[in-house]
Amino acid sequence: EGLGVEKDEKKEVHHLEEAAIAGNPDATYNLGCVEGKSGRYERAMKHFIVSANMGHNKSLDSLKNGFMAGVVSKDEFAAALRGH
Protein backbone atom coordinates (compact mmCIF):
# COMPACT_ATOMS: atom_id res chain seq x y z
CA GLU A 1 0.00 0.00 0.00
CA GLY A 2 1.28 3.40 -0.92
CA LEU A 3 1.46 6.27 1.50
CA GLY A 4 -1.27 8.83 0.90
CA VAL A 5 -2.81 6.76 -1.88
CA GLU A 6 -6.30 5.33 -1.71
CA LYS A 7 -6.61 1.60 -2.39
CA ASP A 8 -8.61 0.88 -5.54
CA GLU A 9 -9.83 -2.71 -5.18
CA LYS A 10 -11.54 -2.77 -8.59
CA LYS A 11 -8.30 -1.81 -10.26
CA GLU A 12 -6.40 -4.34 -8.16
CA VAL A 13 -8.72 -7.16 -9.26
CA HIS A 14 -8.51 -6.00 -12.88
CA HIS A 15 -4.71 -6.18 -12.85
CA LEU A 16 -4.76 -9.54 -11.07
CA GLU A 17 -7.11 -10.87 -13.75
CA GLU A 18 -4.85 -9.58 -16.52
CA ALA A 19 -1.80 -11.22 -14.91
CA ALA A 20 -3.71 -14.47 -14.29
CA ILE A 21 -4.79 -14.61 -17.94
CA ALA A 22 -1.13 -14.13 -18.87
CA GLY A 23 -0.30 -17.23 -16.79
CA ASN A 24 1.03 -15.75 -13.55
CA PRO A 25 0.40 -18.30 -10.74
CA ASP A 26 0.82 -15.71 -7.96
CA ALA A 27 -1.89 -13.53 -9.50
CA THR A 28 -4.20 -16.52 -9.89
CA TYR A 29 -3.62 -17.44 -6.23
CA ASN A 30 -4.28 -13.83 -5.16
CA LEU A 31 -7.53 -13.82 -7.14
CA GLY A 32 -8.52 -16.92 -5.19
CA CYS A 33 -7.78 -15.09 -1.97
CA VAL A 34 -9.92 -12.11 -3.04
CA GLU A 35 -12.79 -14.44 -3.96
CA GLY A 36 -12.47 -16.31 -0.67
CA LYS A 37 -12.57 -13.10 1.35
CA SER A 38 -15.75 -12.17 -0.54
CA GLY A 39 -17.36 -15.48 0.45
CA ARG A 40 -17.22 -17.00 -3.04
CA TYR A 41 -15.43 -20.17 -1.91
CA GLU A 42 -16.15 -22.38 -4.92
CA ARG A 43 -14.83 -19.72 -7.27
CA ALA A 44 -11.79 -19.25 -5.01
CA MET A 45 -11.05 -22.97 -5.15
CA LYS A 46 -11.16 -22.89 -8.96
CA HIS A 47 -8.46 -20.21 -8.94
CA PHE A 48 -6.44 -22.28 -6.47
CA ILE A 49 -6.76 -25.37 -8.69
CA VAL A 50 -5.44 -23.46 -11.70
CA SER A 51 -2.48 -22.00 -9.81
CA ALA A 52 -1.71 -25.32 -8.09
CA ASN A 53 -1.50 -26.89 -11.54
CA MET A 54 1.13 -24.23 -12.31
CA GLY A 55 3.15 -25.41 -9.30
CA HIS A 56 2.05 -22.81 -6.73
CA ASN A 57 2.56 -24.31 -3.25
CA LYS A 58 0.29 -21.95 -1.27
CA SER A 59 -2.55 -22.81 -3.63
CA LEU A 60 -2.11 -26.47 -2.87
CA ASP A 61 -2.27 -25.67 0.86
CA SER A 62 -5.46 -23.67 0.30
CA LEU A 63 -6.97 -26.56 -1.65
CA LYS A 64 -6.09 -28.92 1.18
CA ASN A 65 -7.95 -26.63 3.57
CA GLY A 66 -10.87 -26.48 1.14
CA PHE A 67 -10.93 -30.26 0.89
CA MET A 68 -10.95 -30.60 4.67
CA ALA A 69 -13.80 -28.05 4.86
CA GLY A 70 -15.80 -29.91 2.20
CA VAL A 71 -15.59 -27.20 -0.47
CA VAL A 72 -13.27 -29.22 -2.74
CA SER A 73 -14.12 -32.76 -3.81
CA LYS A 74 -11.71 -35.66 -3.42
CA ASP A 75 -11.39 -35.92 -7.21
CA GLU A 76 -10.62 -32.20 -7.60
CA PHE A 77 -8.00 -32.36 -4.87
CA ALA A 78 -6.41 -35.50 -6.33
CA ALA A 79 -6.29 -33.90 -9.80
CA ALA A 80 -4.62 -30.79 -8.36
CA LEU A 81 -2.05 -32.96 -6.58
CA ARG A 82 -1.25 -34.76 -9.83
CA GLY A 83 -1.01 -31.47 -11.71
CA HIS A 84 1.25 -29.88 -9.13
Side-chain angles (χ1 to χ4, degrees), residues 6-16 34 38:
E6 221 175 280
K7 185 173 182 176
D8 187 344
E9 291 183 22
K10 281 180 122 177
K11 194 177 276 189
E12 175 188 11
V13 169
H14 170 75
H15 289 292
L16 285 173
V34 169
S38 298

Side-chain angles (χ1 to χ4, degrees), residues 2-71:
L3 295 174
V5 178
E6 221 175 280
K7 185 173 182 176
D8 187 344
E9 291 183 22
K10 281 180 122 177
K11 194 177 276 189
E12 175 188 11
V13 169
H14 170 75
H15 289 292
L16 285 173
E17 288 171 344
E18 292 287 319
I21 290 168
N24 184 306
D26 290 325
T28 308
Y29 169 76
N30 288 334
L31 272 175
C33 292
V34 169
E35 295 290 358
K37 287 178 185 173
S38 298
R40 296 184 290 268
Y41 303 114
E42 288 183 20
R43 190 171 167 131
M45 293 301 136
K46 288 181 182 184
H47 287 297
F48 294 146
I49 288 169
V50 171
S51 55
N53 286 331
M54 290 188 258
H56 197 271
N57 292 326
K58 286 184 180 179
S59 293
L60 198 58
D61 292 339
S62 296
L63 284 172
K64 182 173 97 175
N65 292 335
F67 173 67
M68 292 169 59
V71 181

Side-chain angles (χ1 to χ4, degrees), residues 66-82:
F67 173 67
M68 292 169 59
V71 181
V72 176
S73 73
K74 184 177 182 178
D75 291 338
E76 289 173 320
F77 186 59
L81 278 172
R82 285 191 300 274

